[in-house]
Amino acid sequence: MTENQTPDNSTSWGRRGFLAAMGIGVGAAIVGLPAQASAAGAWSNPTIGRITSGFRPPSRPTHSGTDVANSQGTAIRAANAGKIVGVRTNSYPGDTRPGLLPGRTGNAVLIDHLNGYRTYYGHIYSAGVSVGQTVSAGQYIAAMGTTGNSTGPHLHFEVLVNGSPTNPYTFLANRGITLGSSAPIGGAGWPTVKQGSTGTLVKVVQHLLSANGHSLVVDGNFGSVSVAAAKAFQTKKGLVADGVVGPKTWPKLILEVKSGSTGSRAKAAQVALNRQGASLVVDGNFGSVSVAAAKAFQTKKGLVADGLIGPLTWEVLV
Ligand SMILES: [Zn+2]
């Protein structure tokens, strides 16, 4: 899985292009960024997959990134905290518009991490972020795709240091991260629900525990009965039974929800969609209105808009 060999325009997307996109000068660009994005902090693996093409190998001396291949829809996450300074859509061969790597990497995102670091994510299905948005390390930004000049789903990942592409694999390895194979760190990820938690996210967990056979009154209060149900579920799944629903428990707790799904799992998805701005009746019937709400959410987040709530959609949803 790789993009076809064409002249690499990466280096043209240097400081001048960056500033042109910002529409402002150097001082304004730096002053205008929020304090929490003022320094590159911990780096994070941007996606999981296998390396299919490296940085400027002898056979591809102009390939200024590293390609990481996986299935379409695989989560792509910010490699560090920063600000979205470019979102490119529909750049295909023949596209001569100025901007991010015209004609080569399809839909793409560019993040500025300050301190001279920028990262670029090409061939994405679509972006789940917009220009000007601040992101944290590990925050979901896009789904993997094969847009632009590409032969299969993969991420074309570039690291730019003061405008010059550097080897992304080595760059991350020097920071203790194996590109493609290590779990992303930081970011939003799965939330934590524990004893004393209240609100609609608790209702999502209570519906999911019910759907997994631990019937609960769904009241949005994670009290002793809910904690006991969570512990029983964790024990059943071989997890540490601490009653805390966090990053290890969520992946086991979620259930696929799609057109025609019914019962507690459908209610869980409906409540979760309502938390994201939908206005669904929580009736436990995942019909056309619910599917449409799921597709709208997926489109907004750059996910494949199939209306099916699987692991990635669930993670972005909660
Ligand atoms: Zn590439």
Side-chain angles (χ1 to χ4, degrees), residues 70-76 107 123-129 140-147 153-154 256-258 273 286 290-314 316-317:
N70 204 330
S71 55
Q72 172 149 309
T74 299
I76 295 171
N107 300 333
H123 303 304
I124 60 172
Y125 179 82
S126 64
V129 289
Y140 173 85
I141 56 169
M144 189 178 288
T146 182
T147 57
H154 74 284
E256 185 177 279
V257 178
K258 59 186 176 184
L273 286 164
F286 209 75
S290 294
V291 169
K295 287 182 178 176
F297 171 76
Q298 290 169 322
T299 298
K300 190 173 83 177
K301 294 296 184 180
L303 297 159
V304 179
D306 56 7
L308 187 154
I309 302 182
L312 177 56
T313 300
W314 264 119
V316 179
L317 194 54

Side-chain angles (χ1 to χ4, degrees), residues 2-3 53 60 63 65-67 104-105 123 154-157:
T2 179
E3 67 268 21
S53 185
R60 303 181 74 195
H63 185 248
T66 298
D67 294 344
R104 197 168 66 98
T105 50
H123 303 304
H154 74 284
L155 169 68
H156 172 87
F157 178 61

Side-chain angles (χ1 to χ4, degrees), residues 179-296:
L179 178 59
S181 69
S182 52
I185 58 167
W190 296 99
T192 297
V193 170
K194 58 185 181 182
Q195 177 132 29
S197 296
T198 59
T200 51
L201 182 60
V202 170
K203 290 186 178 181
V204 174
V205 171
Q206 289 173 324
H207 280 304
L208 286 171
L209 283 167
S210 295
N212 278 285
H214 302 274
S215 187
L216 287 171
V217 175
V218 176
D219 60 1
N221 290 304
F222 209 71
S224 57
V225 178
S226 294
V227 170
K231 287 182 178 178
F233 172 78
Q234 289 169 325
T235 299
K236 190 171 72 182
K237 294 294 184 181
L239 298 162
V240 176
D242 58 4
V244 177
V245 178
K248 288 195 167 63
T249 302
W250 274 106
K252 308 259 187 201
L253 186 62
I254 54 164
L255 296 162
E256 185 177 279
V257 178
K258 59 186 176 184
S259 180
S261 292
T262 59
S264 293
R265 72 171 65 192
K267 288 182 180 177
Q270 289 171 326
V271 173
L273 286 164
N274 285 347
R275 294 183 73 241
Q276 297 285 347
S279 306
L280 298 170
V281 177
V282 182
D283 61 359
N285 288 303
F286 209 75
S288 58
V289 178
S290 294
V291 169
K295 287 182 178 176

